[in-house]
Amino acid sequence: MPATRLWNSAYFLLITTVLFWSGNFIVGRAAGGSVPPIALAFWRWAGGTLILLVLARRHWRADLPVIRRHLPILLLLSLLGIAGFNTLVYIGLRETSAVNALLMQSAIPMVTLLFSFMLLGQRASLAQIAGVAISLAGIAAIATRGRPQDLLAFALNPGDAWIVAAVAVWGLYTTLLARRPAIHPLSLLTVTFLMGTLMLLPLYLYEHAQGARIEAGLPSALAIAYVILLPGIVANFFYNRGVELIGAGPASLFIHLMPVFGTLLAVAFLGERVHLFHLAGIGLIATGIVLATVARRRAAARPVS
């Protein structure tokens, strides 16, 4: 059956995942005037939590004893991957373009490599270190809009600074996923969604008390529905299945499609423009990614003496 073939196609699942994640940036940028950033993050995870508590109840109920024993790491993963990352992204998108934000996401694999070395002792080769340096140079090119003197003068766009912080948070989250407990993927989603929602609740209430309110209307409702269903639940579910089919390493490489999808979506729906510094930045990031990826594959293929 077609549905079965699609469910067993890692490429379909992972490409769709990245498309939905890219759309998250477009919606976050477009909804900036009608849905405050913390409200958008809060309702994304609150809505996802309510759905998962029902749909995944068989899994999280069975995993409750393991969940209780591993609360510290689950709390940390929730803080970084749920409460932290998307909140920083939505705040940043109020002051920078979706194209900028998407291009800088390409550095996540490189940042993850750095954290893996610092926290897990996974040593990197010289080629991988060079790849990290080149990729970070690409981030600098985008963040400074091709004006490196801005970096020396600490004159980064505030929105870009939030996105850089989000990249660091996701890199740390990805690294610490190696310490996650052995529970069903839907249980992991449910518990981290729930904890992340509770962490965001005080910030959401404070934002609301300061007068930042969601504008009633169809655009706001559609934006919230989109981030709950597609980049929230469906993308994470598809990603888990893709990792199951081909492994975490190959699956993580699909994140490099985000600048491609995101730039096309931003040009089509937001009227944003691609500048020379965008192309230079993505070129440097791609060079760093290729260099680090080739080095990793060669290391994996090298026979053990």
Side-chain angles (χ1 to χ4, degrees):
M1 294 180 63
T4 302
R5 287 199 298 270
L6 293 177
W7 183 242
N8 290 314
S9 172
Y11 293 100
F12 165 77
L13 295 170
L14 292 169
I15 289 172
T16 304
T17 294
V18 174
L19 177 62
F20 290 159
W21 280 346
S22 301
N24 181 48
F25 285 76
I26 307 305
V27 171
R29 175 69 174 172
S34 58
V35 185
I38 297 176
L40 186 60
F42 174 81
W43 285 111
R44 172 181 179 173
W45 303 123
T49 298
L50 293 174
I51 294 172
L52 287 170
L53 283 172
V54 176
L55 295 182
R57 61 184 180 277
R58 178 170 62 90
H59 300 294
W60 61 259
R61 283 176 177 173
D63 288 330
L64 271 178
V66 181
I67 291 170
R68 292 192 185 101
R69 292 198 301 270
H70 295 85
L71 279 179
I73 185 61
L74 290 170
L75 283 167
L76 183 56
L77 290 173
S78 303
L79 174 64
L80 296 170
I82 305 302
F85 174 72
N86 279 278
T87 305
L88 293 171
V89 167
Y90 292 149
I91 293 173
L93 285 170
R94 295 172 69 92
E95 299 185 69
T96 192
S97 70
V99 170
N100 270 23
L102 282 154
L103 289 175
M104 286 188 281
Q105 298 304 297
S106 295
I108 284 176
M110 301 296 101
V111 174
T112 303
L113 182 64
L114 286 174
F115 279 123
S116 297
F117 171 71
M118 292 187 294
L119 300 179
L120 304 180
Q122 296 178 357
R123 303 186 68 84
S125 66
L126 289 177
Q128 288 174 317
I129 294 172
V132 170
I134 294 171
S135 185
L136 292 177
I139 294 179
I142 296 167
T144 62
R145 289 160 171 73
R147 300 188 298 270
Q149 65 272 19
D150 287 356
L151 187 61
L152 296 176
F154 301 100
L156 286 174
N157 179 291
D160 291 332
W162 287 108
I163 301 300
V164 169
V167 167
V169 165
W170 190 259
L172 181 57
Y173 167 78
T174 303
T175 301
L176 292 177
L177 276 176
R179 305 287 175 85
R180 68 188 183 275
I183 57 179
H184 192 278
L186 285 175
S187 298
L188 180 65
L189 287 184
T190 304
V191 69
T192 54
F193 278 26
L194 175 60
M195 291 178 176
T197 300
L198 294 175
M199 292 174 185
L200 285 172
L201 180 57
L203 296 177
Y204 170 61
L205 294 175
Y206 175 79
E207 181 185 68
H208 188 78
Q210 295 300 306
R213 308 292 171 84
I214 298 174
E215 292 184 7
L218 184 60
S220 297
L222 290 176
I224 293 172
Y226 175 84
V227 299
I228 289 173
L229 295 174
L230 298 184
I233 294 176
V234 175
N236 281 282
F237 192 59
F238 279 13
Y239 186 75
N240 288 342
R241 175 61 175 168
V243 171
E244 180 184 345
L245 291 171
I246 65 172
S252 68
L253 297 178
F254 280 77
I255 199 170
H256 303 151
L257 291 172
M258 285 185 68
V260 179
F261 288 151
T263 299
L264 293 175
L265 291 171
V267 170
F269 293 104
L270 301 181
E272 295 188 2
R273 299 176 59 188
V274 178
H275 299 281
L276 183 60
F277 66 81
H278 287 132
L279 300 178
I282 198 171
L284 288 168
I285 291 170
T287 300
I289 289 168
V290 170
L291 186 60
T293 303
V294 169
R296 184 182 63 182
R297 288 178 178 172
R298 288 178 178 174
R302 190 178 299 124
V304 179
S305 56

